Amino acid sequence: MRSYSKEKLHYIINRWLNIRIPPPYGLAFRKNYVEHQEPDSIILRNKNGRIVFSPMAPGIYRVYLRSIYEKETLLENNSLTIDLSNENRAGWRLKTTKNTGEFAYMLSNGLEARLLVDLIDGTLSFLIGSDLLMVQPVSPQTTKDWLLIEKHFSWPGGVKVFGLGENTPPMNKAGQTVIMWNTFPVIYTTGANPLYQSWPVAIIQCVDGPCIGLVFDSPSYSLFRFSKNGKRMKYAVRNTDLSYFILLGPTLPNLMRQLASLTGTLPPLPKWTLGYQQSRWGYKSSSRVREIAAEFRKRDIPCDVIYLDIDYMDRYKCFTWGEAFSDHEELLRELHSQGFKVVAILDPGLKVEPGYFPCETGIKQKVFTVKPGGGYVTKNVWAGPSYFPDFVNPCVGEWWGELVKAFVESGVDGMWCDMNEPTTFDLRGTLPPNAIHKASDMKTLPHRLVHNAYGYLMSKATYEGLKKTTDMPFVITRSTYLGGQKYAVTWTGDNVSNWKHFRASIPMILNLGLSGQPIVGSDIGGYQGTPSPKLY
């Protein structure tokens, strides 16, 4: 009988609980009729669902699909990351025949982009000038739980696929399967998939030709499969409600501007965030932090920031200081006088403990994620049994922001969001898929539909809390979602101090940049192990 290490066995069980294989096919969105048409949009209806085709903004086109199985719609008129009210259809033109709708837009290179909708089959083709770049060989399809979309890229030359966020090499994702399901992989290896973040942005670069983009806005479980030559893409999402966007390019700089227009840009950061930032788990007392700071100055090594990991807390309880940091206010003053800024870690899990202020106020204000049968979801993390804020609930961000504001008034300069995939210390490793989030007074959503956005929403709430104390907040987050650059920078998680991970960090950082996150770093010294002087 094959034996596994404890870590390997946990990894296998975790994947068995979380990883999903989509069906090969479903019910087709075909035999459509035009339910509604406006001067610049078309709505198709068929017995299995509906499709909305409409321009979103200059160079950006939107397709929305909703299946007959969808009961908890999230994305038709709403998005957790994209402002759908910010439509600007200037420059777009629509003309229709009996069976075709043609959306046209003049690109910056003087060529006309055309998106042709087959009104009967609900398929979409994309041309620039006379070049056919993308076709949809089959109608969108649905099952009770999934939406399935297939695209073929018709450029006669080579095609390369970039973006797709935080993934290990190769940088070109042709021939790869990429899963979107925010996960704590416990010291990941190169080739591990999925990781901590989800950026469903596929950049299709035609060799010696145009560049186009596809952005899929669903925080549910999803995956991309690309053929070896990059010319065929299958996308499956475990949801029956989806918006996706086509970025017309036609060059990579054009496409990056379109992506920034769609998902937002990074706000200004304080200058000190551009310097060297020292972060290492294991500084268990204020005296150890002082020793580290003194050695940097003694050795004349430039350093602008020192991070405080979970050991600064009282028994790992967020928004507290432990006995070994009882002089934290004095420590922060000393570090500031020496030219250091301080960034402290925060986890979403809050210890269940009478008298613990965040827990008690959270219970009073009903801010925690609940179980279907009632009662709060309780999972073990660093502090032990903990509750998890329901960041999907708009009211929770304000409560969390006030906790952040009060905490940083002691002198902390920035916040570090960790464990926010969210991660738990059980075999599933995250919240139950049927845990309930309150999207509004009238609507609840199961966790599986919003999982990938949990870290994004935590970093947003943290950013807005810091905004109460400074004009330029600094938040760094381990987990986030499409558009997360609006609130936090990020890093590539728990890497290993070896040459393989060092090489892997370069395409990881580049693809995150191409997905919309312009400020990314890797743990230079490695989370695990100690680098050789040459490697460091």
Side-chain angles (χ1 to χ4, degrees):
M1 180 180 292
R2 179 180 296 180
S3 62
Y4 296 101
S5 67
K6 181 179 178 182
E7 291 77 12
K8 180 67 173 179
L9 186 61
H10 183 277
Y11 174 79
I12 292 170
I13 296 174
N14 180 275
R15 287 185 69 84
W16 179 76
L17 288 168
N18 290 309
I19 301 305
R20 296 290 180 262
I21 299 174
Y25 55 84
L27 303 173
F29 283 67
R30 61 187 306 272
K31 295 184 179 179
N32 294 284
Y33 64 90
V34 177
E35 179 182 75
H36 183 71
Q37 181 175 332
E38 296 180 353
D40 47 14
S41 65
I42 297 173
I43 301 175
L44 301 183
R45 171 78 70 175
N46 60 74
K47 67 178 182 178
N48 296 317
R50 61 199 292 265
I51 318 174
V52 181
F53 298 94
S54 61
M56 175 70 187
I60 304 172
Y61 186 82
R62 182 188 182 211
V63 181
Y64 170 74
L65 299 112
R66 183 177 179 183
S67 165
I68 54 168
Y69 296 112
E70 180 55 52
K71 297 177 181 178
E72 297 165 319
T73 179
L74 172 67
L75 298 167
E76 181 169 9
N77 300 306
N78 188 30
S79 168
L80 294 174
T81 190
I82 293 169
D83 183 2
L84 295 178
S85 68
N86 192 29
E87 288 185 341
N88 176 8
R89 298 176 180 177
W92 285 91
R93 302 177 307 282
L94 169 62
K95 63 180 181 181
T96 59
T97 63
K98 180 179 178 181
N99 294 326
T100 304
E102 179 181 296
F103 295 85
Y105 182 82
M106 191 63 66
L107 298 170
S108 59
N109 62 358
L111 293 177
E112 186 177 59
R114 290 180 296 145
L115 293 114
L116 307 180
V117 178
D118 186 312
L119 301 179
I120 306 302
D121 286 341
T123 56
L124 185 69
S125 302
F126 176 31
L127 300 89
I128 294 182
S130 60
D131 293 324
L132 180 63
L133 297 182
M134 184 176 74
V135 297
Q136 195 169 335
V138 294
S139 305
Q141 297 175 64
T142 184
T143 69
K144 185 178 179 181
D145 297 313
W146 295 82
L147 283 173
L148 312 169
I149 297 171
E150 189 169 346
K151 302 286 187 184
H152 289 183
F153 307 107
S154 305
W155 184 249
V159 168
K160 295 185 177 181
V161 182
F162 302 118
L164 297 162
E166 183 185 51
N167 283 283
T168 57
M171 184 169 178
N172 179 7
K173 299 305 176 187
Q176 301 291 304
T177 296
V178 180
I179 298 170
M180 301 284 157
W181 182 255
N182 292 358
T183 300
F184 172 44
V186 192
I187 316 297
Y188 64 88
T189 59
T190 56
N193 181 25
L195 294 180
Y196 313 88
Q197 306 177 35
S198 293
W199 296 80
V201 179
I203 296 171
I204 312 303
Q205 177 65 66
C206 301
V207 177
D208 298 323
C211 183
I212 62 175
L214 289 162
V215 180
F216 293 84
D217 182 16
S218 174
S220 308
Y221 181 100
S222 63
L223 60 80
F224 295 80
R225 285 199 179 111
F226 295 93
S227 63
K228 288 185 178 180
N229 63 4
K231 292 190 176 184
R232 297 190 304 278
M233 182 199 83
K234 291 184 177 181
Y235 172 81
V237 60
R238 197 161 180 257
N239 197 346
T240 48
D241 179 43
L242 172 69
S243 283
Y244 75 89
F245 302 83
I246 300 172
L247 309 182
L248 306 188
T251 68
L252 185 57
N254 292 142
L255 193 149
M256 288 293 100
R257 284 189 283 270
Q258 291 157 6
L259 180 61
S261 172
L262 182 68
T263 66
T265 58
L266 184 79
L269 293 172
K271 286 184 179 180
W272 54 263
T273 63
L274 299 177
Y276 177 76
Q277 304 184 34
Q278 174 65 20
S279 177
R280 192 71 169 175
W281 187 19
Y283 301 157
K284 294 184 179 297
S285 66
S286 59
S287 60
R288 178 59 174 153
V289 176
R290 288 184 174 92
E291 180 184 346
I292 294 295
E295 288 295 325
F296 271 105
R297 296 301 182 240
K298 176 182 176 181
R299 298 165 188 259
D300 199 25
I301 300 174
C303 180
D304 288 294
V305 190
I306 290 180
Y307 281 61
L308 301 179
D309 211 316
I310 55 176
D311 289 310
Y312 80 83
M313 302 176 187
D314 173 20
R315 295 171 292 150
Y316 305 140
K317 293 185 295 182
C318 291
F319 304 108
T320 69
W321 296 88
E323 185 177 343
F325 286 83
S326 58
D327 61 344
H328 59 272
E329 291 187 356
E330 181 181 348
L331 170 68
L332 295 173
R333 284 194 296 269
E334 290 177 16
L335 292 173
H336 288 156
S337 70
Q338 297 169 39
F340 293 99
K341 300 294 184 181
V342 178
V343 174
I345 201 167
L346 271 183
D347 295 345
L350 299 179
K351 184 174 178 60
V352 181
E353 181 179 280
Y356 173 41
F357 181 76
C359 181
E360 290 201 336
T361 61
I363 293 171
K364 184 177 180 180
Q365 297 186 37
K366 300 180 180 180
V367 303
F368 295 121
T369 305
V370 300
K371 296 182 287 187
Y376 296 126
V377 174
T378 307
K379 293 289 182 180
N380 283 322
V381 284
W382 291 111
S386 299
Y387 295 150
F388 289 79
D390 177 10
F391 290 111
V392 177
N393 184 340
C395 300
V396 173
E398 180 65 25
W399 164 81
W400 182 267
E402 287 298 324
L403 292 174
V404 170
K405 175 180 178 291
F407 179 75
V408 301
E409 285 175 346
S410 63
V412 173
D413 301 285
M415 298 308 302
W416 169 16
C417 296
D418 197 37
M419 299 287 287
N420 56 338
E421 290 72 32
T423 287
T424 61
F425 291 167
D426 57 6
L427 288 175
R428 185 179 292 278
T430 192
L431 300 185
N434 61 350
I436 295 173
H437 296 280
K438 184 179 179 181
S440 69
D441 289 338
M442 303 297 293
K443 180 183 288 294
T444 62
L445 295 167
H447 181 73
R448 67 176 182 84
L449 293 186
V450 296
H451 171 83
N452 289 337
Y454 190 91
Y456 165 93
L457 293 169
M458 178 187 175
S459 57
K460 177 183 179 182
T462 305
Y463 176 90
E464 291 176 347
L466 286 172
K467 192 76 173 175
K468 300 173 186 290
T469 66
T470 176
D471 291 333
M472 287 192 288
F474 177 70
V475 179
I476 183 168
T477 185
R478 187 170 77 178
S479 180
T480 193
Y481 173 64
L482 176 72
Q485 72 278 355
K486 295 190 292 291
Y487 306 110
V489 306
T490 190
W491 86 105
T492 59
D494 293 354
N495 60 349
V496 180
S497 54
N498 60 33
W499 286 101
K500 193 173 183 179
H501 270 251
F502 174 60
R503 293 187 186 98
S505 71
I506 298 169
M508 290 177 77
I509 289 170
L510 290 172
N511 269 333
L512 272 162
L514 290 171
S515 302
Q517 177 57 279
I519 305 292
V520 189
S522 63
D523 192 335
I524 296 171
Y527 173 80
Q528 184 183 58
T530 302
S532 66
K534 184 176 182 180
L535 172 57
Y536 197 70

